[in-house]
Amino acid sequence: MKIEVSPDITLNMTDQAMDWQELTNLTRGQPFVVERVRLAGSGVAIEGEFELPQLAQLNVEDQVFVTAFMRCHGSIKEMERIFGVSYPTIKSRLKRITQMLDFVETDPAPSPTDVIDRLRRGEITAQQALSELEHRT
């Protein structure tokens, strides 16, 4: 892997995948853009400007925290034990991290047009259509 620090300075890295922590340390928390992606199995490379996924944009400590939270299935009690801190500290950190992430709606409410189309096709009753339209937020 080659990393261009400036137009006249390039760092050569080993071929093995660079650990995210090393990359975060190298960038010192500054935002960066990935410009080349290579598919390991086929060697196909794609060049462009790619934004990292939100979780990869978190600093290393927050990535470790989120990973620990997932591994203990969201148990705040277990997080207290692992990190040796209080419930309010865990909640505060979760809130801070949550504010840094955009929420992705995985099951958005259907649009009024979708509801009416389903009603016209006979997929739902008039009562179901009214209910869906009334419960939109």
Side-chain angles (χ1 to χ4, degrees), residues 13 25-26 79 82 87:
M13 306 300 283
N25 290 339
L26 181 67
M79 292 292 286
I82 291 170
Y87 178 93

Side-chain angles (χ1 to χ4, degrees), residues 37-60:
V37 175
R38 185 176 57 82
L39 303 175
S42 66
V44 171
I46 305 165
E47 293 194 19
E49 191 168 297
F50 308 99
E51 187 174 315
L52 292 175
Q54 289 184 37
L55 292 174
Q57 293 177 30
L58 295 175
N59 66 42
V60 173

Side-chain angles (χ1 to χ4, degrees), residues 4-10:
E4 186 176 318
V5 177
S6 66
D8 56 326
I9 300 173
T10 300

Side-chain angles (χ1 to χ4, degrees), residues 14 27 37 58 68 71 84 86 99 110 116 125:
T14 63
T27 62
V37 175
L58 295 175
R71 287 201 174 178
S86 67
Q99 290 171 341
I116 292 169
T125 66

Side-chain angles (χ1 to χ4, degrees), residues 94-106:
L94 284 170
K95 182 178 180 180
R96 181 181 58 76
I97 293 171
T98 300
Q99 290 171 341
M100 294 169 26
L101 303 173
D102 293 329
F103 179 74
V104 177
E105 182 64 58
T106 58

Side-chain angles (χ1 to χ4, degrees), residues 69-137:
F69 188 69
M70 297 303 296
R71 287 201 174 178
C72 67
H73 306 281
S75 168
I76 293 178
K77 182 173 252 160
E78 184 67 12
M79 292 292 286
E80 290 176 271
R81 188 190 66 72
I82 291 170
F83 288 95
V85 295
S86 67
Y87 178 93
T89 302
I90 298 294
K91 288 295 285 184
S92 174
R93 188 156 183 195
L94 284 170
K95 182 178 180 180
R96 181 181 58 76
I97 293 171
T98 300
Q99 290 171 341
M100 294 169 26
L101 303 173
D102 293 329
F103 179 74
V104 177
E105 182 64 58
T106 58
D107 190 19
S111 71
T113 304
D114 291 338
V115 173
I116 292 169
D117 287 345
R118 288 178 31 231
L119 177 62
R120 283 187 181 137
R121 290 191 303 263
E123 295 173 6
I124 58 174
T125 66
Q127 187 59 40
Q128 289 170 318
L130 284 173
S131 177
E132 285 189 31
L133 293 171
E134 288 173 354
H135 291 95
R136 288 182 45 84
T137 55

